[in-house]
mmCIF file of all heavy atoms in Angstrom:
data_model
loop_
_atom_site.group_PDB
_atom_site.id
_atom_site.type_symbol
_atom_site.label_atom_id
_atom_site.label_comp_id
_atom_site.label_asym_id
_atom_site.label_seq_id
_atom_site.Cartn_x
_atom_site.Cartn_y
_atom_site.Cartn_z
ATOM 1 N N VAL A 292 -43.731 81.254 -29.065
ATOM 2 C CA VAL A 292 -43.370 81.987 -27.849
ATOM 3 C C VAL A 292 -44.635 82.553 -27.200
ATOM 4 O O VAL A 292 -45.443 83.234 -27.813
ATOM 5 C CB VAL A 292 -42.366 83.131 -28.161
ATOM 6 C CG1 VAL A 292 -42.044 83.892 -26.861
ATOM 7 C CG2 VAL A 292 -41.113 82.564 -28.766
ATOM 8 N N HIS A 293 -44.810 82.282 -25.887
ATOM 9 C CA HIS A 293 -45.981 82.723 -25.142
ATOM 10 C C HIS A 293 -45.963 84.228 -24.947
ATOM 11 O O HIS A 293 -44.903 84.799 -24.671
ATOM 12 C CB HIS A 293 -45.985 82.027 -23.792
ATOM 13 C CG HIS A 293 -47.307 82.107 -23.050
ATOM 14 N ND1 HIS A 293 -47.807 83.245 -22.530
ATOM 15 C CD2 HIS A 293 -48.241 81.137 -22.821
ATOM 16 C CE1 HIS A 293 -48.985 83.012 -21.990
ATOM 17 N NE2 HIS A 293 -49.261 81.725 -22.170
ATOM 18 N N PRO A 294 -47.107 84.891 -25.098
ATOM 19 C CA PRO A 294 -47.153 86.347 -24.938
ATOM 20 C C PRO A 294 -46.579 86.791 -23.555
ATOM 21 O O PRO A 294 -45.963 87.881 -23.476
ATOM 22 C CB PRO A 294 -48.644 86.703 -24.982
ATOM 23 C CG PRO A 294 -49.276 85.559 -25.719
ATOM 24 C CD PRO A 294 -48.420 84.348 -25.511
ATOM 25 N N ASN A 295 -46.752 86.013 -22.507
ATOM 26 C CA ASN A 295 -46.228 86.390 -21.207
ATOM 27 C C ASN A 295 -44.680 86.451 -21.185
ATOM 28 O O ASN A 295 -44.084 87.154 -20.424
ATOM 29 C CB ASN A 295 -46.670 85.419 -20.128
ATOM 30 C CG ASN A 295 -48.139 85.582 -19.790
ATOM 31 O OD1 ASN A 295 -48.765 86.522 -20.320
ATOM 32 N ND2 ASN A 295 -48.704 84.716 -18.972
ATOM 33 N N VAL A 296 -44.041 85.650 -22.080
ATOM 34 C CA VAL A 296 -42.575 85.700 -22.177
ATOM 35 C C VAL A 296 -42.160 87.023 -22.814
ATOM 36 O O VAL A 296 -41.241 87.691 -22.319
ATOM 37 C CB VAL A 296 -42.028 84.490 -22.970
ATOM 38 C CG1 VAL A 296 -40.532 84.622 -23.232
ATOM 39 C CG2 VAL A 296 -42.350 83.167 -22.270
ATOM 40 N N PHE A 297 -42.895 87.415 -23.840
ATOM 41 C CA PHE A 297 -42.591 88.739 -24.436
ATOM 42 C C PHE A 297 -42.809 89.848 -23.393
ATOM 43 O O PHE A 297 -42.045 90.779 -23.264
ATOM 44 C CB PHE A 297 -43.501 88.977 -25.647
ATOM 45 C CG PHE A 297 -43.063 88.232 -26.864
ATOM 46 C CD1 PHE A 297 -43.968 87.500 -27.629
ATOM 47 C CD2 PHE A 297 -41.713 88.221 -27.247
ATOM 48 C CE1 PHE A 297 -43.566 86.823 -28.759
ATOM 49 C CE2 PHE A 297 -41.291 87.531 -28.380
ATOM 50 C CZ PHE A 297 -42.229 86.839 -29.128
ATOM 51 N N ALA A 298 -43.903 89.737 -22.622
ATOM 52 C CA ALA A 298 -44.207 90.733 -21.610
ATOM 53 C C ALA A 298 -43.081 90.825 -20.580
ATOM 54 O O ALA A 298 -42.706 91.905 -20.141
ATOM 55 C CB ALA A 298 -45.542 90.414 -20.941
ATOM 56 N N ALA A 299 -42.496 89.679 -20.170
ATOM 57 C CA ALA A 299 -41.461 89.641 -19.164
ATOM 58 C C ALA A 299 -40.210 90.438 -19.575
ATOM 59 O O ALA A 299 -39.448 90.945 -18.777
ATOM 60 C CB ALA A 299 -41.050 88.206 -18.816
ATOM 61 N N VAL A 300 -39.975 90.545 -20.908
ATOM 62 C CA VAL A 300 -38.792 91.292 -21.368
ATOM 63 C C VAL A 300 -39.218 92.600 -22.067
ATOM 64 O O VAL A 300 -38.386 93.259 -22.701
ATOM 65 C CB VAL A 300 -37.947 90.452 -22.369
ATOM 66 C CG1 VAL A 300 -37.310 89.270 -21.627
ATOM 67 C CG2 VAL A 300 -38.780 89.971 -23.536
ATOM 68 N N GLY A 301 -40.499 92.985 -21.872
ATOM 69 C CA GLY A 301 -40.938 94.293 -22.383
ATOM 70 C C GLY A 301 -41.135 94.375 -23.875
ATOM 71 O O GLY A 301 -41.022 95.455 -24.454
ATOM 72 N N LEU A 302 -41.439 93.271 -24.527
ATOM 73 C CA LEU A 302 -41.735 93.325 -25.962
ATOM 74 C C LEU A 302 -43.248 93.276 -26.139
ATOM 75 O O LEU A 302 -43.951 92.584 -25.391
ATOM 76 C CB LEU A 302 -41.088 92.148 -26.689
ATOM 77 C CG LEU A 302 -39.602 92.227 -27.012
ATOM 78 C CD1 LEU A 302 -39.185 90.964 -27.794
ATOM 79 C CD2 LEU A 302 -39.287 93.479 -27.880
ATOM 80 N N ASP A 303 -43.756 93.930 -27.162
ATOM 81 C CA ASP A 303 -45.178 93.977 -27.397
ATOM 82 C C ASP A 303 -45.627 92.752 -28.207
ATOM 83 O O ASP A 303 -45.223 92.605 -29.360
ATOM 84 C CB ASP A 303 -45.499 95.247 -28.191
ATOM 85 C CG ASP A 303 -46.990 95.356 -28.520
ATOM 86 O OD1 ASP A 303 -47.760 94.477 -28.092
ATOM 87 O OD2 ASP A 303 -47.373 96.331 -29.196
ATOM 88 N N PRO A 304 -46.408 91.841 -27.571
ATOM 89 C CA PRO A 304 -46.804 90.631 -28.269
ATOM 90 C C PRO A 304 -47.748 90.845 -29.437
ATOM 91 O O PRO A 304 -47.964 89.948 -30.255
ATOM 92 C CB PRO A 304 -47.531 89.812 -27.154
ATOM 93 C CG PRO A 304 -47.594 90.673 -25.964
ATOM 94 C CD PRO A 304 -46.964 91.967 -26.227
ATOM 95 N N GLU A 305 -48.278 92.095 -29.540
ATOM 96 C CA GLU A 305 -49.108 92.432 -30.704
ATOM 97 C C GLU A 305 -48.190 92.687 -31.938
ATOM 98 O O GLU A 305 -48.579 92.458 -33.065
ATOM 99 C CB GLU A 305 -49.945 93.686 -30.442
ATOM 100 C CG GLU A 305 -50.964 93.523 -29.335
ATOM 101 C CD GLU A 305 -52.044 92.529 -29.691
ATOM 102 O OE1 GLU A 305 -52.439 92.432 -30.866
ATOM 103 O OE2 GLU A 305 -52.456 91.787 -28.758
ATOM 104 N N GLU A 306 -46.995 93.113 -31.646
ATOM 105 C CA GLU A 306 -46.082 93.480 -32.753
ATOM 106 C C GLU A 306 -45.195 92.273 -33.124
ATOM 107 O O GLU A 306 -44.972 92.038 -34.294
ATOM 108 C CB GLU A 306 -45.191 94.671 -32.337
ATOM 109 C CG GLU A 306 -44.303 95.126 -33.474
ATOM 110 C CD GLU A 306 -43.399 96.297 -33.097
ATOM 111 O OE1 GLU A 306 -43.453 96.800 -31.983
ATOM 112 O OE2 GLU A 306 -42.605 96.707 -33.991
ATOM 113 N N TRP A 307 -44.733 91.547 -32.106
ATOM 114 C CA TRP A 307 -43.734 90.494 -32.370
ATOM 115 C C TRP A 307 -44.331 89.089 -32.131
ATOM 116 O O TRP A 307 -45.163 88.918 -31.232
ATOM 117 C CB TRP A 307 -42.525 90.675 -31.434
ATOM 118 C CG TRP A 307 -41.875 91.950 -31.644
ATOM 119 C CD1 TRP A 307 -41.888 93.040 -30.819
ATOM 120 C CD2 TRP A 307 -41.092 92.329 -32.772
ATOM 121 N NE1 TRP A 307 -41.150 94.095 -31.372
ATOM 122 C CE2 TRP A 307 -40.636 93.680 -32.576
ATOM 123 C CE3 TRP A 307 -40.657 91.695 -33.950
ATOM 124 C CZ2 TRP A 307 -39.859 94.357 -33.479
ATOM 125 C CZ3 TRP A 307 -39.888 92.383 -34.852
ATOM 126 C CH2 TRP A 307 -39.473 93.706 -34.611
ATOM 127 N N THR A 308 -43.939 88.216 -32.977
ATOM 128 C CA THR A 308 -44.314 86.802 -32.812
ATOM 129 C C THR A 308 -43.048 85.968 -32.962
ATOM 130 O O THR A 308 -42.070 86.432 -33.533
ATOM 131 C CB THR A 308 -45.329 86.335 -33.879
ATOM 132 O OG1 THR A 308 -44.911 86.805 -35.112
ATOM 133 C CG2 THR A 308 -46.734 86.805 -33.530
ATOM 134 N N GLY A 309 -43.095 84.720 -32.434
ATOM 135 C CA GLY A 309 -41.866 83.925 -32.584
ATOM 136 C C GLY A 309 -42.100 82.461 -32.231
ATOM 137 O O GLY A 309 -43.175 82.088 -31.759
ATOM 138 N N PHE A 310 -41.077 81.702 -32.483
ATOM 139 C CA PHE A 310 -41.110 80.294 -32.049
ATOM 140 C C PHE A 310 -39.837 79.937 -31.329
ATOM 141 O O PHE A 310 -38.814 80.639 -31.470
ATOM 142 C CB PHE A 310 -41.431 79.324 -33.193
ATOM 143 C CG PHE A 310 -40.355 79.235 -34.283
ATOM 144 C CD1 PHE A 310 -39.158 78.572 -34.087
ATOM 145 C CD2 PHE A 310 -40.594 79.802 -35.552
ATOM 146 C CE1 PHE A 310 -38.199 78.483 -35.087
ATOM 147 C CE2 PHE A 310 -39.633 79.735 -36.566
ATOM 148 C CZ PHE A 310 -38.437 79.038 -36.317
ATOM 149 N N ALA A 311 -39.885 78.851 -30.556
ATOM 150 C CA ALA A 311 -38.699 78.362 -29.827
ATOM 151 C C ALA A 311 -38.696 76.857 -29.855
ATOM 152 O O ALA A 311 -39.720 76.217 -30.055
ATOM 153 C CB ALA A 311 -38.743 78.860 -28.373
ATOM 154 N N PHE A 312 -37.518 76.280 -29.720
ATOM 155 C CA PHE A 312 -37.423 74.837 -29.602
ATOM 156 C C PHE A 312 -36.226 74.483 -28.735
ATOM 157 O O PHE A 312 -35.333 75.329 -28.486
ATOM 158 C CB PHE A 312 -37.271 74.166 -30.970
ATOM 159 C CG PHE A 312 -36.119 74.677 -31.808
ATOM 160 C CD1 PHE A 312 -34.868 74.220 -31.622
ATOM 161 C CD2 PHE A 312 -36.362 75.613 -32.831
ATOM 162 C CE1 PHE A 312 -33.792 74.664 -32.411
ATOM 163 C CE2 PHE A 312 -35.308 76.100 -33.622
ATOM 164 C CZ PHE A 312 -34.023 75.618 -33.387
ATOM 165 N N GLY A 313 -36.221 73.273 -28.183
ATOM 166 C CA GLY A 313 -35.110 72.832 -27.348
ATOM 167 C C GLY A 313 -34.906 71.308 -27.510
ATOM 168 O O GLY A 313 -35.838 70.547 -27.309
ATOM 169 N N PHE A 314 -33.699 70.923 -27.980
ATOM 170 C CA PHE A 314 -33.414 69.496 -28.179
ATOM 171 C C PHE A 314 -32.257 69.065 -27.287
ATOM 172 O O PHE A 314 -31.377 69.874 -26.960
ATOM 173 C CB PHE A 314 -32.961 69.158 -29.612
ATOM 174 C CG PHE A 314 -33.770 69.773 -30.709
ATOM 175 C CD1 PHE A 314 -33.154 70.178 -31.868
ATOM 176 C CD2 PHE A 314 -35.128 69.951 -30.574
ATOM 177 C CE1 PHE A 314 -33.871 70.728 -32.886
ATOM 178 C CE2 PHE A 314 -35.859 70.506 -31.560
ATOM 179 C CZ PHE A 314 -35.235 70.904 -32.732
ATOM 180 N N GLY A 315 -32.218 67.758 -27.021
ATOM 181 C CA GLY A 315 -31.051 67.180 -26.302
ATOM 182 C C GLY A 315 -29.931 66.900 -27.301
ATOM 183 O O GLY A 315 -30.130 66.117 -28.239
ATOM 184 N N ILE A 316 -28.768 67.525 -27.091
ATOM 185 C CA ILE A 316 -27.649 67.299 -28.000
ATOM 186 C C ILE A 316 -27.099 65.873 -27.876
ATOM 187 O O ILE A 316 -26.817 65.208 -28.856
ATOM 188 C CB ILE A 316 -26.492 68.294 -27.679
ATOM 189 C CG1 ILE A 316 -26.961 69.712 -27.959
ATOM 190 C CG2 ILE A 316 -25.247 67.950 -28.495
ATOM 191 C CD1 ILE A 316 -25.886 70.774 -27.710
ATOM 192 N N ASP A 317 -27.011 65.377 -26.657
ATOM 193 C CA ASP A 317 -26.505 64.001 -26.430
ATOM 194 C C ASP A 317 -27.388 62.993 -27.117
ATOM 195 O O ASP A 317 -26.888 62.043 -27.730
ATOM 196 C CB ASP A 317 -26.439 63.732 -24.913
ATOM 197 C CG ASP A 317 -25.985 64.923 -24.140
ATOM 198 O OD1 ASP A 317 -26.817 65.849 -23.963
ATOM 199 O OD2 ASP A 317 -24.834 64.977 -23.698
ATOM 200 N N ARG A 318 -28.688 63.183 -27.022
ATOM 201 C CA ARG A 318 -29.636 62.273 -27.684
ATOM 202 C C ARG A 318 -29.454 62.298 -29.194
ATOM 203 O O ARG A 318 -29.527 61.289 -29.872
ATOM 204 C CB ARG A 318 -31.061 62.654 -27.337
ATOM 205 C CG ARG A 318 -31.644 61.866 -26.176
ATOM 206 C CD ARG A 318 -33.059 62.309 -25.902
ATOM 207 N NE ARG A 318 -33.980 61.789 -26.880
ATOM 208 C CZ ARG A 318 -34.676 60.679 -26.740
ATOM 209 N NH1 ARG A 318 -34.519 59.941 -25.632
ATOM 210 N NH2 ARG A 318 -35.491 60.203 -27.640
ATOM 211 N N LEU A 319 -29.229 63.494 -29.733
ATOM 212 C CA LEU A 319 -29.023 63.627 -31.165
ATOM 213 C C LEU A 319 -27.774 62.840 -31.575
ATOM 214 O O LEU A 319 -27.775 62.190 -32.623
ATOM 215 C CB LEU A 319 -28.863 65.114 -31.544
ATOM 216 C CG LEU A 319 -30.181 65.896 -31.637
ATOM 217 C CD1 LEU A 319 -29.919 67.382 -31.722
ATOM 218 C CD2 LEU A 319 -30.969 65.470 -32.892
ATOM 219 N N ALA A 320 -26.699 62.950 -30.756
ATOM 220 C CA ALA A 320 -25.487 62.209 -31.060
ATOM 221 C C ALA A 320 -25.736 60.692 -31.038
ATOM 222 O O ALA A 320 -25.333 59.978 -31.929
ATOM 223 C CB ALA A 320 -24.375 62.573 -30.043
ATOM 224 N N LEU A 321 -26.450 60.240 -30.025
ATOM 225 C CA LEU A 321 -26.799 58.808 -29.871
ATOM 226 C C LEU A 321 -27.527 58.317 -31.116
ATOM 227 O O LEU A 321 -27.160 57.284 -31.680
ATOM 228 C CB LEU A 321 -27.776 58.695 -28.693
ATOM 229 C CG LEU A 321 -27.366 57.841 -27.529
ATOM 230 C CD1 LEU A 321 -26.062 58.301 -26.944
ATOM 231 C CD2 LEU A 321 -28.440 57.882 -26.465
ATOM 232 N N MET A 322 -28.530 59.090 -31.536
ATOM 233 C CA MET A 322 -29.352 58.615 -32.630
ATOM 234 C C MET A 322 -28.629 58.588 -33.957
ATOM 235 O O MET A 322 -28.752 57.671 -34.735
ATOM 236 C CB MET A 322 -30.555 59.529 -32.777
ATOM 237 C CG MET A 322 -31.558 59.320 -31.651
ATOM 238 S SD MET A 322 -32.923 60.435 -31.836
ATOM 239 C CE MET A 322 -33.744 60.073 -30.335
ATOM 240 N N ARG A 323 -27.776 59.580 -34.153
ATOM 241 C CA ARG A 323 -27.079 59.622 -35.423
ATOM 242 C C ARG A 323 -26.068 58.461 -35.542
ATOM 243 O O ARG A 323 -25.788 57.991 -36.608
ATOM 244 C CB ARG A 323 -26.362 60.954 -35.561
ATOM 245 C CG ARG A 323 -25.932 61.209 -36.956
ATOM 246 C CD ARG A 323 -25.973 62.632 -37.315
ATOM 247 N NE ARG A 323 -25.544 62.835 -38.683
ATOM 248 C CZ ARG A 323 -24.271 62.707 -39.049
ATOM 249 N NH1 ARG A 323 -23.357 62.470 -38.161
ATOM 250 N NH2 ARG A 323 -23.959 62.847 -40.331
ATOM 251 N N HIS A 324 -25.560 58.003 -34.394
ATOM 252 C CA HIS A 324 -24.542 56.965 -34.442
ATOM 253 C C HIS A 324 -25.017 55.601 -33.972
ATOM 254 O O HIS A 324 -24.242 54.674 -33.801
ATOM 255 C CB HIS A 324 -23.315 57.393 -33.632
ATOM 256 C CG HIS A 324 -22.665 58.596 -34.204
ATOM 257 N ND1 HIS A 324 -21.808 58.559 -35.268
ATOM 258 C CD2 HIS A 324 -22.769 59.912 -33.876
ATOM 259 C CE1 HIS A 324 -21.407 59.778 -35.590
ATOM 260 N NE2 HIS A 324 -21.979 60.612 -34.735
ATOM 261 N N GLY A 325 -26.334 55.488 -33.708
ATOM 262 C CA GLY A 325 -26.893 54.195 -33.285
ATOM 263 C C GLY A 325 -26.299 53.703 -31.985
ATOM 264 O O GLY A 325 -26.097 52.488 -31.805
#
Side-chain angles (χ1 to χ4, degrees):
V292 178
H293 195 289
N295 288 354
V296 173
F297 285 134
V300 293
L302 282 181
D303 180 2
E305 296 295 323
E306 183 179 0
W307 300 106
T308 44
F310 65 75
F312 55 81
F314 314 146
I316 295 181
D317 321 75
R318 264 180 77 93
L319 281 166
L321 240 57
M322 287 178 186
R323 194 146 181 286
H324 296 280

